[in-house]
Amino acid sequence: RLICIQTTELEHRTEPGLEHRTEPGLEHRTEPGLEHRTEPNNLTHLSGFDPHRTDSCHATKPDMLNVHLVPHTHDDVGWLKTVDQYYYGDRNDIQHAGVQYILDSVVDQLLKNPDRRFIYVETAFFYRWWKRQDSSMKQTVQQLVNEGRLEFVNGGWCMSDEATTHYSAVIDQMTMGLRFLNDTFGVCGRPRVAWHIDPFGHAREHASMFAQMGYDGFFFGRLDYQDRYQRMMQKEQELLWRASDSLTPPMADLFTGILPNGYNPPDGFCWDQSCSDPPIRDDPDLEDYNVDDVVKRFLNIASAQSMVYKTNHIIMTMGSDFQYENANLWYKNLDKLIHYVNAQQDLGSRVNVLYSTPSCYLQELHRANLTWALKTDDFFPYADDAHDFWTGYFSSRPALKRYERLSNSNLQTCNQLEVLGGPTSTNGPFGKGDSQTMKKAMAVAQHHDAVSGTEKQHVANDYARRLATGWQHCQVLVSNGLAVLSGSTAQRFYCDYLNISVCPLTESSKKFSVNVYNPLGRPVTWPVRLPVNGTAYAVSDAAGTSVLPLSKDTHNVRRSRGFAVNELVFEVQAPPLGFSTYSVSLLQDGPLAASTQPRTPTAIQNKVPTHGFINYKNRMIRRGYNASDGNNSESIQPSGAYIFRPNSSTPFLISSTAKTEFIQEVRQWFSPWVSQVVRLYAHSRTLELEWTVGPLPIHDDLGKEVITRIDTSIESSEIFYTDSNGREVLQRKKDFRPTWHLKQSEPIAGNYYPINSRAYIKDDVDQLTVVTDRSQGGSSIHNGSLEIMLHRRLLYDDVRGVAEPLNETSAIFPEGLVVRGRLLLSLDRPASAADKHRPLAQEMVLQPLLTFTDGDLHPDFSGLQAALPPAVHLLTLTQWDAQSVLLRLEHQFQSWESDVNSKPVTVNLQTNRQTDKQTNKQTDKPWQKHNLLGVGGPTGGATDQPWRSVRWQVESDTVYINSVTHTHTHTHTHTH
């Protein structure tokens, strides 16, 4: 058998000027599981088409059109059924699909013919299947992998969504999947191709991450119909994506291919049990003999496809959703197809058909040694027809989107305390806890039908349940870890409903302590709001303590959960990678003083000097779009979970007036189902908007899509900016696409983009930045304005497969879901705005965790001797195995956005073993600190990935954008 022996054909093919430039001491920058390139013997090898693998690709014919058939299945990790139901084949009344049977059947059929190939993607399913196999089957599968007959592509726990996921969570789920493949199959199991055939638009940051992980190429199936048509005409469906404007090429360069049929087989060639296409009937004695017809149709399809691609190699995806449950149907017909089409070569045909994989196909494209079109923006928004923009899911299921983001923050805290607390954290005074349950739940939640909000309601409930279960496991770990670090085993309470002012301990106790854990690598100041029933409290070492009456909206939204009448508000500070503890004591019961009673507002301000004044207008959250029901002359497309299609370009006015109260904050009620609180904390330069929306009324038989719109005097010239997966920021322009000419047919939905963590508008003087607490959709429809969609409730299915209207209700809210969230607004000079919004967005993503104990407690702790530099973000600190820890640091500023913080930074980590004062001996305590030394300025070099040997030539480093030429040069390079 073949044991993945390396060939060297494509080694070190480097274009002039793109040679590796490696900083001294950084030659082996390995993050276990992230780059998936390290063998068990710890040798690091070059990626490309030659890593320890005999060329298992079938031979091609250079003088013919080679058609690469790629057998595959697309197995959603939840969509119409839950992930468990999909694996076991349960609830086939909803959809016939059983992943365990697919893998059983495929392995059986691969063994019957060594020419056959298959690719598999979703490690979450394969992991489950693998655990249930005996040693004989595992050995068989290992051989198939070693011989390249079964190839893993993508390799993450799931195929993540690209619009609504945060980059940190994507890295985590990719790490989980890739680590399993590496541990199980070694280098032969390492995916070399990223494969996102189903996500609904494609983010530049995803491509950047894939490139930095060492993938050689990226294939996807969906892009805007106008973009596809123009690329077909220009033969640019295969291109080089330069996915970062801060990383020196080719660090974030990724060859990208757009598949011809989405991810389905050509029409008439689907041989799954779920399909109705006729099989190949090749007995000439039978009346229904159809070989000649099949061959003729296939040759016509192949010829037509070759006309819109650049080389004499084309790819066809032979499979689709949950196919190959009976793999014999597929393979028997594919064997025949290959045989009969290739037999035509004796009659002069110039078409050669072969079993293949994406990496084999990619190898042939590289051998062609051509130049490729260059792309530097992204593939949002995506439309599949003139009035069918997939921009609604940017905001669908806003409660689930927030819960996923909060769960990510909780998981990072859980990971960190597992490291800082040592072995006691997983088995300590509060029992056995673990982070793995939460890691798996979060990994599944990144799926493109999970956090995207495009699943059925019962599946959304299952995702939320998994996250809740994971957090329960983490709570035990966190309690154990904090007990180790604080020296106290006092019971800890978790108040997961603080956003609606529910916390049984603070509502009833006269003396309690608040532990504030900060997962960031720098200190933070954070506003704490606790439900209480007293009117005066003493808080140790806290600034700006006050007690406010609970708003009527909070009373309404919490229903019967909680009984507090007031909120205790104070600001806390927490050290980097550590915690502070605040003691709270009741001083007074009784009614609130007159100074806290409502009054008419005149202004909201504090003593912190600011660049300017935000002209706050009351039209915010007073508008919404009525959703199209599909009953109009232009199109029958309604709004739904995926599609955003308002029935008018002018949003309706929820109310022309707002009832307003001022109680150290501005409280506004625009209608019984829309309210807002405006807050400016004592030491803050940002304005907080807390919005509460729902239940959205549907008595008029119209769905509702509620927005907040912020109007300013900024001359933004129809240009605005949104982040990509919470990381780099891209420029947007109304009714414009950078690489193709747009014919706009939906003036609102066609200008919406995903906002994962921030959006802003600016002119030469001012920049208004809005930081979000979850992924949302938004745009700048009018000059000087930003609008963000907060909530959607729709009455029609949008006919994209989910077969269910997005009409969320629950036992607590049977009349319709109520959602609450926060936006942070800052107004700054453009040159310095990133210095504020970068750390602000990280605080929103990784917010402090509050835990509570009854009684008095005062310990403080920091896991760092010094805070990280402002430009450096602590991305990951997690236990890798019993003897090692995974630490990831990243530069969080783009090369152009800050005069101060966009410069490269050097951080040296040196372990400082603490000394026991009694014995004067050094001890390896679980909380041993990391001493941060040698913070310097520009380093002058750039670190490239030595494991990526594949280089692609671009047609030009000058990008032509609708007749406007932009030549990109970069002074600084950032190693992420």
Side-chain angles (χ1 to χ4, degrees):
R1 69 181 187 183
L2 306 177
I3 308 296
C4 238
I5 302 172
Q6 181 171 351
T7 61
T8 58
E9 175 192 358
L10 298 175
E11 188 171 359
H12 294 302
R13 297 194 56 186
T14 306
E15 297 179 39
L18 296 182
E19 296 84 2
H20 296 305
R21 295 190 302 153
T22 305
E23 295 181 40
L26 297 180
E27 292 83 1
H28 297 288
R29 294 173 54 93
T30 60
E31 293 176 357
L34 179 61
E35 305 90 338
H36 53 279
R37 65 185 191 277
T38 303
E39 278 193 295
N41 61 6
N42 293 322
L43 295 177
T44 301
H45 300 277
L46 292 175
S47 175
F49 305 116
D50 55 340
H52 284 272
R53 183 189 295 271
T54 290
D55 193 347
S56 60
C57 304
H58 290 304
T60 60
K61 298 186 177 181
D63 58 342
M64 292 188 180
L65 173 64
N66 294 274
V67 184
H68 296 248
L69 303 183
V70 179
H72 81 105
T73 180
H74 175 59
D75 298 342
D76 290 301
V77 186
W79 179 37
L80 308 182
K81 305 197 296 188
T82 69
V83 60
D84 290 346
Q85 291 166 350
Y86 271 134
Y87 178 77
Y88 285 107
D90 195 9
R91 291 302 307 273
N92 282 340
D93 57 312
I94 298 175
Q95 179 186 13
H96 187 94
V99 174
Q100 62 175 331
Y101 308 118
I102 293 172
L103 293 168
D104 288 343
S105 184
V106 165
V107 170
D108 176 69
Q109 289 300 311
L110 288 177
L111 295 173
K112 293 182 177 180
N113 182 349
D115 290 338
R116 294 172 175 174
R117 298 291 183 266
F118 195 78
I119 63 170
Y120 200 72
V121 179
E122 293 84 8
T123 308
F125 283 133
F126 188 86
Y127 166 81
R128 288 183 175 208
W129 181 84
W130 179 262
K131 288 196 307 179
R132 290 161 176 79
Q133 306 308 306
D134 59 27
S135 59
S136 176
M137 177 57 72
K138 288 182 177 180
Q139 185 176 4
T140 297
V141 174
Q142 179 77 63
Q143 180 176 343
L144 291 173
V145 173
N146 289 349
E147 295 174 359
R149 294 155 66 185
L150 173 61
E151 180 175 305
F152 295 103
V153 296
N154 214 63
W157 206 245
C158 69
M159 185 184 296
S160 59
D161 182 58
E162 296 193 44
T164 63
T165 50
H166 192 267
Y167 73 94
S168 61
V170 173
I171 290 173
D172 283 349
Q173 75 90 9
M174 292 298 296
T175 300
M176 176 170 284
L178 295 172
R179 183 183 186 183
F180 167 76
L181 294 178
N182 185 70
D183 291 347
T184 306
F185 299 105
V187 70
C188 294
R190 185 195 64 212
R192 295 177 289 172
V193 168
W195 183 260
H196 269 214
I197 53 177
D198 196 25
F200 330 119
H202 303 281
R204 193 177 77 174
E205 193 57 44
H206 261 73
S208 177
M209 287 188 288
F210 287 148
Q212 293 176 73
M213 291 177 188
Y215 287 94
D216 297 321
F218 179 36
F219 290 92
F220 64 75
R222 299 183 189 271
L223 82 163
D224 188 276
Y225 74 104
Q226 295 183 54
D227 192 5
R228 180 183 284 275
Y229 176 78
Q230 295 186 45
R231 289 186 178 278
M232 289 172 65
M233 295 301 99
Q234 298 164 5
K235 293 190 175 182
E236 291 185 352
Q237 293 190 91
E238 290 161 336
L239 57 124
L240 186 70
W241 197 349
R242 184 152 291 164
S244 172
D245 59 14
S246 294
L247 296 174
T248 300
M251 289 183 67
D253 287 359
L254 188 64
F255 185 89
T256 301
I258 300 164
L259 298 170
N261 303 299
Y263 56 90
N264 299 308
D267 288 344
F269 292 86
C270 181
W271 290 304
D272 193 72
Q273 63 187 17
S274 62
C275 301
S276 57
D277 294 340
I280 297 178
R281 301 183 292 262
D282 56 345
D283 186 342
D285 295 333
L286 296 181
E287 181 179 350
D288 293 333
Y289 178 81
N290 67 350
V291 170
D292 295 340
D293 175 66
V294 169
V295 170
K296 180 180 178 181
R297 286 189 293 110
F298 185 84
L299 290 175
N300 288 338
I301 289 172
S303 175
Q305 184 175 327
S306 70
M307 300 300 291
V308 295
Y309 285 86
K310 203 168 184 176
T311 74
N312 65 324
H313 293 267
I314 60 175
I315 188 172
M316 292 184 183
T317 46
M318 307 306 286
S320 191
D321 291 351
F322 297 98
Q323 294 195 359
Y324 285 79
E325 191 170 313
N326 184 352
N328 181 49
L329 295 175
W330 261 113
Y331 281 115
K332 179 167 284 191
N333 285 279
L334 287 174
D335 288 347
K336 292 179 180 181
L337 179 69
I338 293 170
H339 171 75
Y340 288 116
V341 172
N342 287 346
Q344 296 296 306
Q345 294 172 16
D346 294 337
L347 303 176
S349 170
R350 311 305 297 167
V351 175
N352 180 54
V353 189
L354 62 149
Y355 280 115
S356 190
T357 66
S359 60
C360 292
Y361 175 67
L362 190 65
Q363 176 174 270
E364 296 299 337
L365 297 184
H366 190 271
R367 283 174 174 167
N369 200 29
L370 302 178
T371 59
W372 305 92
L374 182 68
K375 184 177 178 65
T376 60
D377 59 313
D378 64 4
F379 289 94
F380 286 118
Y382 160 59
D384 58 16
D385 209 340
H387 300 283
D388 307 359
F389 280 87
W390 296 49
T391 54
Y393 80 97
F394 300 162
S395 307
S396 294
R397 301 195 187 278
L400 180 63
K401 283 179 165 61
R402 174 58 187 158
Y403 192 39
E404 181 274 337
R405 182 64 53 85
L406 183 62
S407 297
N408 183 41
S409 178
N410 288 339
L411 174 59
Q412 302 314 314
T413 293
C414 185
N415 289 337
Q416 293 173 8
L417 286 171
E418 184 174 5
V419 173
L420 297 173
T424 306
S425 63
T426 54
N427 189 3
F430 297 99
K432 292 184 178 181
D434 70 90
S435 59
Q436 199 66 19
T437 306
M438 187 66 154
K439 287 177 179 176
K440 290 179 180 178
M442 272 297 297
V444 166
Q446 306 316 301
H447 170 60
H448 58 270
D449 284 307
V451 66
S452 59
T454 54
E455 64 279 82
K456 283 186 178 291
Q457 184 64 55
H458 79 103
V459 181
N461 295 343
D462 184 68
Y463 289 131
R465 180 192 60 79
R466 290 175 182 275
L467 293 173
T469 301
W471 180 224
Q472 289 174 353
H473 286 243
C474 267
Q475 283 181 1
V476 178
L477 188 157
V478 169
S479 294
N480 287 335
L482 290 176
V484 172
L485 300 175
S486 67
S488 170
T489 58
Q491 183 179 0
R492 293 188 179 268
F493 298 91
Y494 296 81
C495 295
D496 294 329
Y497 299 109
L498 282 177
N499 66 325
I500 56 171
S501 292
V502 174
C503 181
L505 178 66
T506 65
E507 293 174 58
S508 58
S509 177
K510 295 183 178 181
K511 190 177 185 63
F512 57 89
S513 298
V514 185
N515 180 282
V516 183
Y517 180 83
N518 171 26
L520 295 172
R522 56 180 176 78
V524 296
T525 299
W526 188 260
V528 171
R529 310 181 69 89
L530 304 178
V532 295
N533 285 294
T535 57
Y537 288 83
V539 182
S540 62
D541 302 321
T545 301
S546 60
V547 177
L548 306 179
L550 212 62
S551 71
K552 66 178 183 180
D553 278 304
T554 297
H555 279 288
N556 292 337
V557 75
R558 80 180 183 190
R559 303 291 164 99
S560 60
R561 300 168 291 173
F563 58 92
V565 296
N566 297 321
E567 277 189 318
L568 172 63
V569 182
F570 56 97
E571 287 188 343
V572 297
Q573 294 181 330
L577 197 66
F579 58 79
S580 298
T581 306
Y582 292 81
S583 180
V584 180
S585 302
L586 175 67
L587 297 180
Q588 180 181 331
D589 276 325
L592 285 171
S595 61
T596 60
Q597 297 305 310
R599 58 186 176 87
T600 303
T602 56
I604 181 169
Q605 60 186 7
N606 62 17
K607 297 181 180 180
V608 178
T610 60
H611 154 61
F613 177 72
I614 298 176
N615 186 13
Y616 165 67
K617 293 187 176 181
N618 285 347
R619 69 179 60 189
M620 298 161 71
I621 325 187
R622 289 196 303 167
R623 298 179 183 271
Y625 296 103
N626 283 319
S628 172
D629 59 7
N631 185 22
N632 61 62
S633 59
E634 288 186 323
S635 171
I636 60 172
Q637 178 63 57
S639 261
Y642 300 90
I643 306 295
F644 173 34
R645 186 167 182 244
N647 66 2
S648 171
S649 297
T650 303
F652 67 85
L653 191 65
I654 293 173
S655 173
S656 59
T657 60
K659 180 182 177 182
T660 304
E661 291 181 354
F662 182 66
I663 318 171
Q664 300 181 31
E665 58 188 29
V666 178
R667 298 176 176 178
Q668 297 178 299
W669 295 269
F670 302 108
S671 79
W673 47 277
V674 175
S675 65
Q676 176 175 269
V677 181
V678 184
R679 301 185 179 110
L680 183 61
Y681 291 102
H683 300 95
S684 176
R685 295 176 181 270
T686 61
L687 195 69
E688 177 186 301
L689 305 180
E690 182 186 78
W691 50 270
T692 305
V693 179
L696 302 186
I698 53 174
H699 59 272
D700 55 0
D701 294 325
L702 291 172
K704 303 289 186 299
E705 303 175 277
V706 176
I707 64 168
T708 182
R709 196 174 86 193
I710 305 163
D711 295 325
T712 73
S713 58
I714 293 174
E715 294 293 336
S716 56
S717 302
E718 298 186 327
I719 292 174
F720 59 108
Y721 300 79
T722 65
D723 68 296
S724 181
N725 299 123
R727 208 148 185 250
E728 292 193 353
V729 173
L730 282 75
Q731 184 187 98
R732 313 295 190 183
K733 186 175 181 179
K734 181 183 175 185
D735 297 332
F736 178 80
R737 303 293 185 266
T739 54
W740 48 280
H741 294 278
L742 170 68
K743 182 179 179 181
Q744 186 61 274
S745 50
E746 286 287 334
I748 304 300
N751 282 302
Y752 258 60
Y753 289 86
I755 300 171
N756 199 274
S757 67
R758 84 211 73 185
Y760 61 80
I761 53 175
K762 66 177 183 176
D763 55 21
D764 293 337
V765 179
D766 296 312
Q767 176 172 319
L768 175 70
T769 305
V770 179
V771 174
T772 65
D773 67 348
R774 72 201 73 194
S775 287
Q776 296 170 304
S779 185
S780 178
I781 303 298
H782 305 284
N783 189 41
S785 88
L786 268 177
E787 68 177 60
I788 296 174
M789 187 174 291
L790 305 178
H791 196 2
R792 315 177 75 219
R793 187 182 188 186
L794 306 168
L795 304 181
Y796 298 92
D797 175 58
D798 54 12
V799 200
R800 291 305 184 277
V802 75
E804 187 176 280
L806 185 65
N807 184 6
E808 294 185 276
T809 60
S810 70
I812 297 175
F813 300 109
E815 68 276 28
L817 196 65
V818 180
V819 185
R820 172 171 284 180
R822 294 193 307 147
L823 301 172
L824 301 181
L825 278 62
S826 66
L827 185 66
D828 305 278
R829 298 287 188 191
S832 61
D835 298 328
K836 180 185 292 185
H837 72 67
R838 282 286 172 188
L840 193 64
Q842 294 292 7
E843 287 179 23
M844 191 74 103
V845 171
L846 296 178
Q847 65 184 47
L849 174 68
L850 305 184
T851 59
F852 302 86
T853 55
D854 202 2
D856 204 1
L857 200 63
H858 289 284
D860 292 340
F861 167 82
S862 177
L864 298 178
Q865 292 280 28
L868 290 172
V872 178
H873 173 56
L874 174 60
L875 177 61
T876 305
L877 177 63
T878 187
Q879 199 73 35
W880 187 251
D881 55 35
Q883 302 299 323
S884 57
V885 167
L886 173 61
L887 171 68
R888 294 191 184 105
L889 301 177
E890 64 165 335
H891 198 300
Q892 64 174 334
F893 283 80
Q894 284 174 264
S895 61
W896 49 265
E897 64 183 358
S898 171
D899 293 337
V900 176
N901 288 312
S902 286
K903 299 175 181 179
V905 175
T906 300
V907 178
N908 294 328
L909 295 176
Q910 183 178 11
T911 301
N912 178 22
R913 301 173 70 193
Q914 291 194 348
T915 300
D916 189 301
K917 294 182 179 180
Q918 293 182 348
T919 64
N920 200 33
K921 294 181 180 180
Q922 290 186 325
T923 58
D924 289 316
K925 293 186 178 181
W927 58 86
Q928 68 181 72
K929 301 185 178 182
H930 296 277
N931 189 23
L932 297 166
L933 305 173
V935 179
T939 57
T943 302
D944 204 352
Q945 305 100 314
W947 62 93
R948 298 182 70 211
S949 63
V950 179
R951 296 290 177 264
W952 302 89
Q953 301 177 36
V954 296
E955 292 175 350
S956 173
D957 277 333
T958 302
V959 186
Y960 295 92
I961 305 178
N962 289 0
S963 300
V964 179
T965 304
H966 301 275
T967 302
H968 297 276
T969 59
H970 305 298
T971 304
H972 302 299
T973 300
H974 297 263
T975 300
H976 293 262

